[in-house]
Amino acid sequence: MNAFLVVILASLALSWLLGVLSNILGSRHLSPEVPAEFIDVYDAETYAKSQRYARASMRFSTLADTAGTVLTFALILGGVFNWLDVWLRTMEWGQIPTGLAYIGLLSLASYAVSLPFEIYQTFVLENRFGFNTTTVKTFVTDRIKGLVLNTLLGGGLLAGILYFFDKTGQSAWLWCWGLATAFTLGLTYVAPTWILPLFNKFTPLEEGELRTALVEYARKTQFELSGIFVMDGSKRSTKGNAFFTGFGKRRRIALFDTLIDDQDTSEIVAVLAHEVGHAKRGHIRKRLAVGILKTGVVFYLMSIFMHSPGLFAAFGMENMSNYAGLVFFVLLYTPVSLVLSVLANRVSRKHEFEADAYAAETTGDPGAMISALKKLSASNLSNLTPHPLTVWLDYGHPPVLERVRALSKQVK
Ligand SMILES: [Zn+2]
């Protein structure tokens, strides 16, 4: 058997197996007792509900993972990659349009498999636990907008990459790296004003106690903030959140309306302080730098592997092309991507602890951060006792219980 094929199939299977194992262990790891720290925000009934939600979510994720993996195996073993290529070549469109159609159709197949799961998750799973507020109309328009954006932006980027691999020979990976970096930075820059408003309404937070407290905190920590916005998160879910968008002078914070309804002023200040902590401790800069570096390495490796005949033989291809090489490389990259994501999650969890500590320190009120976290997990029915394997694989944030315990040490 072809060595590339063995690596690809084995790593796809391993990645699926790890996910399933994490869900099985996770279900067993649920604890029927409310952890002592959370007794004031969870009554027995809500806690039992959170356990049912965790169990249902894990079952769902196993099913969705399995469907995705089965599709990929079917495409590979069924020779679909070659069949599609041979068929598209009869159109005689030329390298780049053929490549766009090839990758576009494969993405569409993957989308078609995931769509029923998205529908089920929104309208059955999240609905059953009282989270869903998405109307069918919002769901449909979201998907249409997403498809159009992906086609325009993703298609544009892909056309550029295929062009460079076609025309610039040995240095193609450098050109692609530059293009992808410029693309990411540009997107981050325009996201708050051009892209996010396509999906949500952002209203400046009205004058009042909350606004004054947030502005005062930003001033005290000398943090430049170009705006404080309220986002209509309640349009899709009752779950609360907050995030920063843009960078430099255009940095703004968006607070979900659901968060504002749920939390009092000192808690929301703590949430802002946590986000400011990410910026002040250099997490955002570091993440950006690592991301750019990683993109360079990926394109370099891609340029080495994407033309190897063995890789094309693994997929039973009759013809070689940059576009198919690109798809195959992405599959070959699965094990590396798995390892990198585990490492990235590990660093991210460390950053979360640092941002929590920063918030506790600069607000002088660790209690507010603690109660913000507890309220958030209660209203989102977060799993308080995830299995260590799940945390290791998927958690970009530490389990909330660990965060609360770490913060408790800061309470004087
Ligand atoms: Zn954070």
Side-chain angles (χ1 to χ4, degrees):
M1 208 172 170
N2 179 302
F4 284 112
L5 188 60
V6 172
V7 171
I8 291 171
L9 294 181
S11 50
L12 286 172
L14 175 71
S15 153
W16 171 81
L17 200 67
L18 279 172
V20 172
L21 195 64
S22 142
N23 286 329
I24 293 173
L25 293 175
S27 283
R28 294 201 186 148
H29 202 252
L30 292 170
S31 134
E33 307 265 303
V34 186
E37 288 87 346
F38 282 78
I39 282 182
D40 53 337
V41 289
Y42 275 104
D43 56 43
E45 194 186 325
T46 316
Y47 189 68
K49 189 175 165 194
S50 83
Q51 306 241 301
R52 285 201 302 279
Y53 180 54
R55 221 170 249 127
S57 303
M58 288 188 254
R59 264 200 308 271
F60 171 77
S61 120
T62 299
L63 218 68
D65 272 3
T66 307
T69 309
V70 167
L71 171 78
T72 315
F73 267 78
L75 291 180
I76 296 174
L77 300 175
V80 176
F81 290 97
N82 182 54
W83 171 84
L84 182 63
D85 187 41
V86 168
W87 177 63
L88 283 174
R89 279 170 189 270
T90 60
M91 314 280 179
E92 297 181 359
W93 286 337
Q95 278 287 314
I96 295 176
T98 308
L100 289 175
Y102 188 74
I103 294 176
L105 286 171
L106 287 172
S107 313
L108 219 56
S110 143
Y111 185 67
V113 169
S114 67
L115 188 62
F117 288 95
E118 274 183 47
I119 295 173
Y120 180 85
Q121 182 172 34
T122 308
F123 295 106
V124 180
L125 183 63
E126 296 286 299
N127 215 45
R128 190 191 310 152
F129 291 92
F131 291 127
N132 180 47
T133 52
T134 313
T135 60
V136 174
K137 187 177 160 217
T138 303
F139 186 89
V140 173
T141 47
D142 277 359
R143 295 303 169 288
I144 294 173
K145 287 176 196 165
L147 264 178
V148 172
L149 269 181
N150 269 321
T151 308
L152 291 177
L153 297 174
L157 178 64
L158 185 61
I161 290 171
L162 292 175
Y163 173 82
F164 286 131
F165 273 116
D166 221 22
K167 305 280 181 210
T168 55
Q170 292 282 312
S171 59
W173 70 275
L174 274 171
W175 287 100
C176 290
W177 185 14
L179 174 71
T181 304
F183 184 84
T184 311
L185 292 179
L187 211 57
T188 315
Y189 193 72
V190 300
T193 38
W194 288 5
I195 298 181
L196 296 175
L198 293 174
F199 295 91
N200 281 96
K201 206 184 291 159
F202 291 83
T203 340
L205 178 64
E206 58 189 43
E207 295 295 333
E209 188 210 348
L210 177 59
R211 187 180 180 91
T212 311
L214 293 173
V215 169
E216 171 60 22
Y217 174 82
R219 196 193 53 76
K220 199 176 79 186
T221 49
Q222 292 170 345
F223 185 77
E224 237 179 291
L225 203 54
S226 82
I228 305 170
F229 289 83
V230 181
M231 193 193 99
D232 59 346
S234 58
K235 184 174 162 189
R236 296 190 183 80
S237 169
T238 60
K239 291 181 177 174
N241 209 344
F243 62 93
F244 271 131
T245 64
F247 48 82
K249 289 206 187 318
R250 285 161 59 100
R251 193 159 47 193
R252 30 165 90 180
I253 184 150
L255 305 165
F256 280 40
D257 51 359
T258 42
L259 183 84
I260 295 179
D261 289 344
D262 233 29
Q263 311 237 349
D264 68 29
T265 300
S266 69
E267 290 158 350
I268 298 175
V269 170
V271 170
L272 170 71
H274 170 99
E275 298 301 330
V276 170
H278 280 308
K280 292 275 185 184
R281 292 280 183 254
H283 301 161
I284 299 173
R285 257 196 327 274
K286 278 183 211 158
R287 182 178 295 194
L288 194 67
V290 170
I292 291 175
L293 208 69
K294 197 180 103 182
T295 310
V297 174
V298 167
F299 278 118
Y300 179 69
L301 291 176
M302 187 183 283
S303 73
I304 292 179
F305 286 103
M306 72 188 290
H307 300 116
S308 54
L311 190 56
F312 282 81
F315 291 85
M317 299 297 284
E318 292 165 43
N319 302 289
M320 290 185 59
S321 61
N322 288 327
Y323 55 80
L326 196 151
V327 175
F328 302 155
F329 174 78
V330 171
L331 287 165
L332 186 64
Y333 187 71
T334 311
V336 185
S337 147
L338 192 68
V339 172
L340 288 184
S341 123
V342 166
L343 289 178
N345 279 334
R346 195 189 186 94
V347 173
S348 165
R349 289 196 299 273
K350 184 170 154 270
H351 287 172
E352 292 305 322
F353 280 127
E354 288 175 14
D356 282 347
Y358 179 91
E361 221 172 270
T362 51
T363 56
D365 187 4
M369 188 75 236
I370 292 177
S371 90
L373 284 174
K374 278 163 58 173
K375 277 194 190 170
L376 255 177
S377 34
S379 63
N380 294 356
L381 292 181
S382 308
N383 182 2
L384 299 184
T385 55
H387 191 274
L389 177 66
T390 314
V391 175
W392 185 77
L393 274 177
D394 298 323
Y395 270 47
H397 287 68
V400 64
L401 193 55
E402 283 178 27
R403 291 175 73 180
V404 167
R405 283 181 184 156
L407 279 162
S408 302
K409 292 192 190 128
Q410 276 182 282
V411 179
K412 293 195 184 72

